[in-house]
Amino acid sequence: MKQEPQKVITKKGERFIIPIGPQHPALKEPGHFEFAVDGETVTDATVRLGYVHRGIEKGVESRNWVQNLYMLERICGICSHTHAMTYCLGVEKLAAVEVPERAQVIRLIMAELERIHSHMLWLGVAAHEAGFDTLFMYTWRDRETVMDLLELLSGNRVNYSANLLGGVKFDISPEQADKIRQGLAFLAERNTHYLDVVMNDMLLLGRIRGVGVMTREQAEKLGAIGPTARASGVARDVRLDAPYGAYRTFKPKLILETAGDLEARFIVRLREIADSCRLINEALDNLPSGDLTVRMPRRIKEGETISRVEAPRGEAFYFIKSNGSDIPERIKVRTPTICNMGSVLALAKGHQLADMPMILVGIDPCFSCNDRMITLRRSDGEAETWSWGQLREYGIKAYQR
Amino acid sequence: MSTNLVESVIEGLKTWARVNSPWVIHFNSGSCNGCDIEILATITPRYDLERFGIKLQGSPRHADVLICTGPVTRQARERLIRIYEQMPEPKFVIAVGSCALSGGVFDGLYNVAGGIDQVLPVAAYVPGCPPRPEAIIDGVVKLLSSLQQPAPETAPAREQGATQPVYEGEAI
């Protein structure tokens, strides 16, 4: 008699899925990930974003040009200056206004200080995810130096409000410049120490060397940008490719690594801190004299433009359209995290589950920038744009309890 | 008499333990990150929140205090309520930042339900955009010192149906 085949316990095609988020100790911000695992090895990864979607892009269409500056600055609390600067550059381009040179250089100094603060923040968080809390505490202690400098200049630690349409809000006095130089000298010295730790500490290297390797081809195919792409050998930096503002005069160095693993991303970001220190010192030594602002018209000329800025995480991109009134018709924001998120999902496959926080943190994710809504086609085939009322109704319906 | 004495001693002990080592969980329900990094900064060497016995904790089931940042987006709202419900009694909510207080700059956007107190009963408010780490520490310490006072006879606002979908059927 033919024997009945033994029942298989796990059916083929059935996967064990580990959900992570939106609230999870490894995530500082809400995002939902689902990792399909085979034992400890991740075989598939998906992400669900949108927990921080607030509807800013629609909101800017009912506020005037000046009010929007403050709203757009609060897209992201880590790269707030970048967002305000990208917006200002675009609007100034539309209004055909030339910003005074001194204001441009002050914008550069703020942007580079912000890069230092963001990269140090990242180094701490990444070290924490690797289980290296000592490094986390040290970097955050030293990060307070740059926070003090930002506070010294702007009066606030996080949302600096340095930009105005047509210039900047505050000046840098010689005394302040000296304080910045002192602070940067300390940071540059600490930075060499951190570079030494990252490249030589065996415990940390065990977590980062050879983990999450993204080849140059992969990086180009996945559309990675910023330090994540530069760690894979993709020479992509908006400050050099399409210089804006004072970056036409003060050139940053292109920092490239070819390994593409997490270690390379650590090294790229740490070298960028050193280069930012150099750039700020150079800018402070050659601070042009002159006004801080020029007069901006209340209504912006009709037209549309794009503006690109190298944020700490990669390229921030704004599309701005004006219809000639004091309110923008459309502002589209694209931030670096959404471009790099694809690489996380691609790289996750084949790694251990324990490496997931490290691979995620390797792109320096910032969910508050990245959660936006996309509609492809409305079901009734009518208009492609959603009105305020429709969006609000949709939001209420979708998230009703 | 003796049972009352035992009860009051136990209550005193509980309050003493609670005030001296509250565990804190942090949830971002739509914040711009500004407040979150300032909260993280409070546990780092310069501010060192842990000297008050406060520990940043990953699981809501172990936490006494929920620190909320950001306005409540409609997608995060359910999660926020769920996290609050998972916390053991007694529990307290601290709203940190202008957005958590009232919606701030995002007030009125289509996906924003408003401040934290639209969804959960809030015990302490810390204003600022973002508040300085000192302000956050001050908020936590004020909450803790208020626990040492005899408890006010008001029931938490939650009993009055704060978790009911406030926004259901709201005029658009």
Side-chain angles (χ1 to χ4, degrees), chain A residues 48 51 53 77 148 151 157, chain B residues 32 38 73 75 111 132:
Chain A
R48 181 186 167 193
Y51 288 95
H53 177 76
D148 284 346
E151 194 185 352
R157 283 162 55 91
Chain B
C32 75
E38 293 295 71
T73 65
Q75 191 165 3
N111 209 33
R132 296 179 56 85

Side-chain angles (χ1 to χ4, degrees), chain A residues 186-206:
Chain A
F186 170 71
L187 285 173
E189 187 202 318
R190 293 298 301 169
N191 194 46
T192 50
H193 172 64
Y194 294 137
L195 207 54
D196 179 44
V197 169
V198 167
M199 290 163 87
N200 295 315
D201 187 284
M202 289 317 290
L203 291 172
L204 188 61
L205 283 181

Side-chain angles (χ1 to χ4, degrees), chain A residues 87-359:
Chain A
Y87 171 72
C88 285
L89 288 172
V91 177
E92 284 150 9
K93 211 194 283 177
L94 269 182
V97 164
E98 187 63 35
V99 178
E101 268 182 39
R102 191 176 176 88
Q104 287 185 4
V105 177
I106 291 174
R107 276 183 188 173
L108 175 139
I109 291 169
M110 289 305 282
E112 293 303 320
L113 281 173
E114 185 176 76
R115 194 178 314 278
I116 296 174
H117 123 71
S118 174
H119 282 353
M120 293 197 80
L121 178 146
W122 174 82
L123 178 64
V125 173
H128 170 72
E129 300 294 359
F132 194 2
D133 268 355
T134 318
L135 185 59
F136 166 54
M137 290 296 174
Y138 271 123
T139 45
W140 278 64
R141 185 198 69 184
D142 296 337
R143 178 178 161 272
E144 291 296 329
T145 314
V146 67
M147 299 306 277
D148 284 346
L149 295 179
L150 288 165
E151 194 185 352
L152 172 81
L153 293 175
S154 69
N156 203 356
R157 283 162 55 91
V158 173
N159 293 320
Y160 332 108
S161 279
N163 289 285
L164 287 174
L165 290 175
V168 289
K169 207 172 273 178
F170 48 78
D171 203 359
I172 296 180
S173 69
E175 296 79 46
Q176 285 174 329
D178 282 341
K179 283 213 170 129
I180 296 175
R181 286 195 192 95
Q182 277 172 20
L184 290 179
F186 170 71
L187 285 173
E189 187 202 318
R190 293 298 301 169
N191 194 46
T192 50
H193 172 64
Y194 294 137
L195 207 54
D196 179 44
V197 169
V198 167
M199 290 163 87
N200 295 315
D201 187 284
M202 289 317 290
L203 291 172
L204 188 61
L205 283 181
R207 291 299 305 272
I208 62 176
R209 184 168 281 175
V211 176
V213 181
M214 179 162 64
T215 60
R216 194 193 158 129
E217 290 72 39
Q218 268 180 316
E220 278 170 355
K221 199 174 153 199
L222 294 165
I225 51 174
T228 315
R230 291 198 282 277
S232 298
V234 182
R236 200 177 279 168
D237 188 330
V238 186
R239 294 177 293 169
L240 291 161
D241 300 343
Y244 48 88
Y247 288 105
R248 296 191 191 99
T249 337
F250 303 101
K251 295 277 179 208
K253 262 187 248 158
L254 182 67
I255 289 148
L256 276 184
E257 282 286 319
T258 47
D261 58 356
L262 286 171
E263 190 195 1
R265 296 180 195 177
F266 270 86
I267 294 171
V268 164
R269 291 200 172 92
L270 283 168
R271 293 223 165 107
E272 281 189 16
I273 295 179
D275 188 50
S276 292
C277 291
R278 177 195 66 81
L279 202 60
I280 297 169
N281 276 322
E282 204 181 307
L284 285 173
D285 292 340
N286 303 301
L287 202 60
S289 54
D291 287 336
L292 291 181
T293 48
V294 284
R295 206 179 147 70
M296 279 288 284
R298 200 166 66 84
R299 293 170 197 280
I300 304 296
K301 269 184 269 178
E302 200 175 325
E304 52 186 62
T305 187
I306 58 165
S307 112
R308 300 158 70 199
V309 161
E310 183 76 12
R313 291 163 180 71
E315 176 192 331
F317 174 99
Y318 272 50
F319 165 82
I320 301 169
K321 187 178 181 190
S322 169
N323 55 8
S325 71
D326 60 345
I327 288 173
E329 183 163 318
R330 175 84 173 101
I331 292 180
K332 165 82 191 130
V333 183
R334 199 198 62 176
T335 51
T337 304
I338 197 84
C339 306
N340 285 332
M341 197 55 90
S343 72
V344 172
L345 302 181
L347 296 181
K349 285 163 205 161
H351 279 91
Q352 301 279 301
L353 188 65
D355 286 331
M356 287 308 112
M358 284 304 285
I359 290 176

Side-chain angles (χ1 to χ4, degrees), chain A residues 22-23 29-30 48 50-54 74 76-77 121 140 148 151 156-157 366 368 388 392 395 399-400, chain B residues 28 30-33 37-38 44 46-47 58 73-75 79 83 106 108-111 129-130 132 168 170:
Chain A
Q23 197 278 328
E29 295 172 79
R48 181 186 167 193
Y51 288 95
V52 196
H53 177 76
R54 293 154 294 196
R74 280 156 183 80
C76 176
L121 178 146
W140 278 64
D148 284 346
E151 194 185 352
N156 203 356
R157 283 162 55 91
C366 174
S368 61
W388 180 266
R392 201 169 158 79
Y399 305 128
Q400 221 162 44
Chain B
N28 166 350
S31 159
C32 75
N33 263 346
I37 55 173
E38 293 295 71
T44 55
R46 183 184 282 187
Y47 303 102
T73 65
R74 291 186 200 281
Q75 191 165 3
R79 279 295 162 154
I83 286 166
F106 306 118
L109 295 184
Y110 64 81
N111 209 33
C129 186
R132 296 179 56 85
E168 201 173 9
E170 188 204 37

Side-chain angles (χ1 to χ4, degrees), chain B residues 19-22 41-55 133-134 137-138 141 144:
Chain B
V19 169
N20 281 296
S21 69
T42 57
I43 61 162
T44 55
R46 183 184 282 187
Y47 303 102
D48 198 12
L49 196 64
E50 292 187 356
R51 72 197 138 110
F52 296 108
I54 298 165
K55 184 170 179 270
E134 290 94 328
I137 295 174
D138 187 45
V141 170
L144 294 181

